[in-house]
Amino acid sequence: MRILRSHPPEVPGDDSNDLARFGYRQELERWLGPLSSFAASFSYISVLTGVFQLFGFGLTSGGPAYFWSWPLVFLGQLAVALCFAEMAGQFPLAGSVYQWSKQLARPLTSWLSGWIMAGGAVVTAAAVAVAYQVVLPQISAAFQILGSPDDAGLTNTRGGAENAILLALGLVVFTTVVNICGVRLMARINDFGVLIELVAVTLLIAMLAMHVKRGPQVVLQTQGTGAGHSSGYTGAFLVASLASAYVFYGFDTAGALAEETKDPRRHAPRAILRALVAAFVAGGLLMLVALMAVGDIGARELGDLGMPYLVKSTLGTGLGNAFLVCVAIAVTVCCLAVQTAAIRLLFSMARDRRLPFSRVIARVSPLSRTPVVPTLLTCLLTLALLLVNLGNRHLFYTLTSAGIVLFYVPYLLVTGPMLVRRLRGTWPRADHGPYFSLGRWGLAVNLLAVLYGTAMTVNVAWPRATVYPGDQWYYRWGALLVPAVITAVGGALYIVHRRTSRTARRARP
């Protein structure tokens, strides 16, 4: 693979002229530089958010050996990211996955990719916002507003679940206000948050490394987690891999912000790949030294309270709380990035007249130069999803898994059509230009991306009682039911939209 560098430096106005070649005019504020583009993708992945949320789940499900799911998931998603980097260099348009699918596949496919991913963004924003409950009450009992002190840091008790929703509502309102104010404020907060996250994870790795109590061979221990699975430890490992799968997605955000990025054909592909690699290195080292440093690796609290308990029990309460504050900042900017990407996706689809009330949704504020209606829509939908599940202690893992599926499917709706075009010899196109290209490795990488995406989608959605507890059937089938409902509603809207458009065309004189 290669990044060709023969294109001349951009001059003012070139980005807007480039956008005009796709039939769009510059409405959003083109302000982001390469660092902000990287930060947008990295904050969406958010190592501290994902690892602190699901470390306990992974360890309980697969023992310390669940660590190996981290490099395996990374390799699969790296193949996806490489395909996306090619697309970002060719189509620097807001909406990323929707726009990329539109260039490769039929209209229905691109519609579904955008619609499903919009639903995934709402579900993911809710799941990320719930992470406040994992962190804030373990910093101070004052954040445990509902429930009892025994619910602090827990989402699987009624009091913990109620408090999780309350804290999440506050976070979503905050990110909405920031996004309404415009991309400059969003980028400044996001850049600051990513800087704090990078510094914090580096220091945390170093300090945990000073407290190691066992060697790296700890990652070979399964702690008997294979018992009870018909396929032995393979079954346990597949369950535990959900903890890693939850972290490694959203790296396409740099592409979603392409119309607000300077020289996006060059910077967006690099930002996508750098964010993914940085998250892999930082998260992998953090998990490794954490497993080597924890005092009692079989402690029940590790499964219940996860990484926050590990950090505080290893480094002490004061230093541990300082790191948890950094984690709370990471959760904040992660939720901000999730909503930002969703807003650009809805704006992009509405601009193409692919949504109901498209003219209103696609309108850009002349003051903040940001789409205000999509911002309010994402806020209201996320709040509604949280409120519907108020006090539901089974909410967390269902939301998490549904969010993963709702991203993996749209990703497949890009990599799948791209693979078909490669096999037909129509991708890359003859006018690919001097931008990111996989070259002779394209077919192999693309095939790996499709195979991995399909396998992990099935793995995440599989209705396991160990992952989706609850007396009602819809808890166990939630990771399939939520995407199915969103897809069905989207398909119905698409059919109505097509019929309405045909009727309007026939009525024209």
Side-chain angles (χ1 to χ4, degrees), residues 192-239:
F192 171 76
V194 168
L195 175 62
I196 294 296
E197 182 168 6
L198 288 171
V199 171
V201 74
T202 302
L203 291 176
L204 184 56
I205 290 168
M207 291 185 179
L208 287 175
M210 296 177 187
H211 293 77
V212 295
K213 298 176 176 62
R214 59 190 64 83
Q217 66 273 15
V218 66
V219 298
L220 301 177
Q221 297 179 14
T222 64
Q223 294 183 330
T225 50
H229 290 273
S230 58
S231 54
Y233 185 69
T234 299
F237 183 79
L238 290 174
V239 171

Side-chain angles (χ1 to χ4, degrees), residues 51-402:
V51 171
F52 271 72
Q53 264 188 304
L54 288 165
F55 178 82
F57 172 82
L59 190 62
T60 301
S61 302
Y66 106 90
F67 168 84
W68 295 106
S69 67
W70 189 260
L72 290 176
V73 171
F74 165 71
L75 289 175
Q77 289 294 66
L78 178 61
V80 177
L82 287 167
C83 293
F84 284 4
E86 271 198 336
M87 297 302 295
Q90 292 301 298
F91 307 106
L93 303 169
S96 62
V97 168
Y98 158 70
Q99 287 286 354
W100 300 340
S101 181
K102 188 175 77 172
Q103 305 297 330
L104 295 167
R106 295 179 179 276
L108 176 59
T109 303
S110 63
W111 160 272
L112 287 176
S113 69
W115 179 262
I116 295 171
M117 194 162 176
V122 170
V123 173
T124 298
V128 170
V130 167
Y132 259 0
Q133 172 64 15
V134 179
V135 180
L136 292 181
Q138 297 199 63
I139 297 174
S140 170
F143 289 107
Q144 190 63 46
I145 302 167
L146 302 178
S148 69
D150 293 337
D151 296 315
L154 300 176
T155 59
N156 59 356
T157 63
R158 184 170 184 82
E162 290 175 346
N163 199 65
I165 299 300
L166 179 64
L167 296 176
L169 294 175
L171 175 55
V172 173
V173 171
F174 169 76
T175 59
T176 300
V177 172
V178 172
N179 270 307
I180 287 176
C181 291
V183 72
R184 293 194 183 210
L185 179 61
M186 183 282 299
R188 285 172 177 146
I189 293 175
N190 196 56
D191 292 352
F192 171 76
V194 168
L195 175 62
I196 294 296
E197 182 168 6
L198 288 171
V199 171
V201 74
T202 302
L203 291 176
L204 184 56
I205 290 168
M207 291 185 179
L208 287 175
M210 296 177 187
H211 293 77
V212 295
K213 298 176 176 62
R214 59 190 64 83
Q217 66 273 15
V218 66
V219 298
L220 301 177
Q221 297 179 14
T222 64
Q223 294 183 330
T225 50
H229 290 273
S230 58
S231 54
Y233 185 69
T234 299
F237 183 79
L238 290 174
V239 171
S241 67
L242 272 62
S244 298
Y246 177 61
V247 181
F248 285 119
Y249 71 91
F251 42 81
D252 57 287
T253 305
L257 294 171
E259 291 181 30
E260 293 152 280
T261 304
K262 300 172 183 177
D263 195 3
R265 288 183 183 266
R266 180 172 57 172
H267 295 315
R270 295 175 182 178
I272 289 171
L273 297 176
R274 286 170 179 169
L276 188 66
V277 172
F280 166 68
V281 173
L285 288 174
L286 175 59
M287 291 165 57
L288 178 61
V289 296
L291 291 169
M292 294 168 63
V294 63
D296 181 6
I297 202 166
R300 180 183 61 81
E301 291 85 352
L302 276 178
D304 293 337
L305 302 175
M307 188 69 80
Y309 166 80
L310 186 153
V311 171
K312 293 179 73 170
S313 64
T314 304
L315 302 180
T317 301
L319 193 55
N321 282 340
F323 279 113
L324 290 186
V325 170
C326 296
V327 175
I329 293 173
V331 172
T332 302
V333 295
C334 179
C335 190
L336 178 62
V338 172
Q339 189 187 34
T340 301
I343 292 165
R344 274 58 184 176
L345 175 60
L346 290 175
F347 164 75
S348 185
M349 293 184 70
R351 183 175 57 180
D352 286 350
R353 302 291 185 262
R354 307 298 298 277
L355 294 175
F357 310 106
S358 286
R359 292 185 184 277
V360 176
I361 297 173
R363 190 173 299 154
V364 175
S365 167
L367 296 176
S368 63
R369 297 188 65 183
T370 193
V372 174
V373 173
T375 307
L376 296 175
L377 275 176
T378 56
C379 173
L380 292 174
L381 291 172
T382 306
L383 294 179
L385 180 60
L386 290 168
L387 289 172
V388 164
N389 288 280
L390 182 64
N392 181 356
R393 62 190 181 92
H394 304 302
L395 163 71
F396 179 67
Y397 292 125
T398 300
L399 275 182
T400 301
S401 299

Side-chain angles (χ1 to χ4, degrees), residues 397-403 405-406 457 460-463 468 474-484:
Y397 292 125
T398 300
L399 275 182
T400 301
S401 299
V405 173
L406 288 166
T457 300
V460 173
W462 201 263
Y468 312 111
Y474 47 79
Y475 288 126
R476 188 172 301 181
W477 291 89
L480 274 174
L481 183 62
V482 173

